[in-house]
Amino acid sequence: MKPVPATPAEAPDAGPAAELDPWALALDRGRAWLQRVRNADGSWGYTPGQQGRPEPTVLAAAAGQDDAWVAVDWLGSHDQDYAAFLLPAVAWLRAPELAGRALDTLLAFHAVTTESEHAFDTTLPGWAWKEGTTPWVEPTAFAMLGLRRALPDLTGPLAEQARTRLAQGSAYLADRQGHDGGWNYGNPRVFGAELDSHLDATGWALMACDSGPMAERGFDFLRGILDRPSTMGLSLGALASAVHGRDPRPYLDLLAPRVTDDGCRGRADLTALACAALTLGKEHHHAFRA
Amino acid sequence: MPSGPDPKQQAADGLRLLSPSRRRVLLGGATLLAAGAVGANVWNVQRQPPTTVLRQRVTGGYGDDLARQLGEGLAAFPAFLAKVKGSSVVLKPNLVEVHPDRPINTDPRFIVAVAESLLRAGAKQVTVAEGAGHTRDSEYILEQTGLDALLRDIGVPFVDLNLDDAAFVRPPGNLTGLDTLPVAKTVMAADLFVSLPKLKTHHHVGVTLSMKNLFGTVPGSVVGWPKNPLHFAGISNSIVDLWSAIRPAFAIVDGIVGMEGDGPIMGSAVDAGVVLMGEDLPSVDAAATRAMGLRPERVGYMVKALSLGATIADSRIDVLGDEVAPRSFAVIDKFARIVAH
């Protein structure tokens, strides 16, 4: 990952005081809100007061760099569901035992494949949101991010297995790329019609995939986020850009004002994702890809 | 989903071609002697409780007069309006994804007009709620459709049902075999739950209306996207189980601009200029299907719902309101069998 310039794109000069940096201020606002709404058991719900849920709790681990952001006890005692796929990416060093178990989970997970006739290859393995169902783009991207983080530290058969599964994930993403360069949830074509891609799925897929022609096509679509912004889209746009050596600043500039004292729409998952993106600017750290 | 015409249903369809009085005679006497294919369906028609649906021609499209017109339509349902007074009402539109040229979603102006009508009717609180089946970015849908700003203007909140906690409900027919279905607690906790679908064809089940719209009550954070376990259990089975477990209080179909062809997202716009509403969702959907020039008796999930007390027979639905000549919605080839000739 290329280092991210330390200042917003629109800053008048190169050295604003840190306290005036809109990215840093937004990051502080988001983290402060997340801390305020954290459940007593260490977890996060999607919204304040909701019981802990795996996805916002794992995303919150990506919002801050110190160990306290990883709800080890809560995550260790609850079914992490599809969020387990992402957990190694955000907690590999900070909670190695937990992340190791999550890695086992994602390596053991096999989505349902079929021989049915579609305009895409339904025999390709990937990861599903739920056991017993077919693979989809976002959970596959989550798992690929988890595998990428773990792989440098793996050896022997485990490393080989991780490489094989990562290659399967890449093949799945290549097959499901849409006519416009992006990805939707996972059905690029139905009954002969080319379906439209979605910015959110495209952001995760780009974050997980290798640089190259597939990613270049993906960015052709992803740039649309700047014209049709959302918190999720902008966060993923910045994070995906940083992975492929592109400039995340235009995304961060639009993202920062969306992080208010009440988080992003009062949602922990969105606020955590925004904070993860904003760490690119303040701390030069990628929350999902080392 | 049936793969071809159902001979039993064809027999029942034949009855429908008779005059109402002749039909009554047949249903009252001769049916006792009916046997085989005909008997089974006559029994079904008799057992379908009589219902009322309002078919309302709307003038001015989604313009400023829409809330007033919808208010007039709702006046045809005094029992429902009595329940609205002092109640918390959850409106469930169909929000799927955003495309500038395709009428995929229940129109935001329609949603707001319904909300305003119900607030004027005395609702204590109105909430708009949806759990979109395709994109997970509900903020994107809200902002890009303009619904976000419109709801803010009238102080109506939005709840993303995909992120909601689930209540596990037991569908009486259990057609899916899943025993329980996760339904968003916001839906189950509402005093009144109202389905606000778009009038559309659907490439998997023929038409998507107020019953199919209930897929959005299942939280994606619990079952994943695009609500895949419901597909594995059978889309028609899931529709019927959700309807029978939730039993929404009311449905209002946005047919001002509908979608034909390769719906629910890739089809083409149809200026149908009609709204359909009522307390019995299968009846509303059946009347809406007829307004599309299609045959509800050939729509798999509507037929399946008969065993759970649904009413879809034309003879059992009292259609009030305006005469609206059916506008023939195009369907993809696999659904040619549901086209009324």
Side-chain angles (χ1 to χ4, degrees), chain B residues 132-319:
Chain B
H134 290 180
T135 176
R136 303 176 73 213
D137 191 352
S138 57
E139 183 190 51
Y140 177 80
I141 296 178
L142 286 174
E143 293 190 7
Q144 294 304 313
T145 60
L147 180 59
D148 191 47
L150 292 174
L151 291 180
R152 212 178 310 119
D153 286 347
I154 61 169
V156 167
F158 176 84
V159 173
D160 186 340
L161 298 179
N162 279 330
L163 313 181
D164 209 352
D165 291 326
F168 285 84
V169 298
R170 194 171 291 279
N174 194 26
L175 302 189
T176 56
L178 297 174
D179 295 331
T180 61
L181 293 172
V183 174
K185 282 188 173 171
T186 297
V187 171
M188 300 311 290
D191 294 331
L192 297 172
F193 176 65
V194 179
S195 180
L196 300 184
K198 190 80 167 167
L199 187 77
K200 294 190 290 188
T201 53
H202 192 287
H203 59 209
H204 287 312
V205 289
V207 292
T208 172
L209 296 158
S210 70
M211 294 171 74
K212 172 67 176 72
N213 188 33
L214 301 177
F215 262 46
T217 65
V218 177
S221 62
V222 175
V223 302
W225 288 262
K227 317 291 172 88
N228 204 202
L230 300 182
H231 297 122
F232 271 75
I235 299 177
S236 293
N237 293 338
S238 299
I239 292 170
V240 176
D241 273 357
L242 284 168
W243 160 69
S244 60
I246 299 170
R247 289 282 178 174
F250 207 75
I252 313 178
V253 182
D254 171 11
I256 297 173
V257 177
M259 177 181 279
E260 67 179 356
D262 187 10
I265 53 175
M266 299 302 290
S268 307
V270 179
D271 287 318
V274 67
V275 167
L276 296 109
M277 63 177 81
E279 290 162 289
D280 185 72
L281 272 67
S283 301
V284 172
D285 287 1
T289 304
R290 292 189 178 97
M292 300 164 85
L294 305 173
R295 303 178 71 170
E297 303 83 5
R298 301 284 176 83
V299 175
Y301 64 86
M302 294 192 199
V303 174
K304 286 189 175 196
L306 289 173
S307 65
L308 289 155
T311 297
I312 66 169
D314 194 24
S315 60
R316 304 296 281 171
I317 303 172
D318 187 12
V319 180

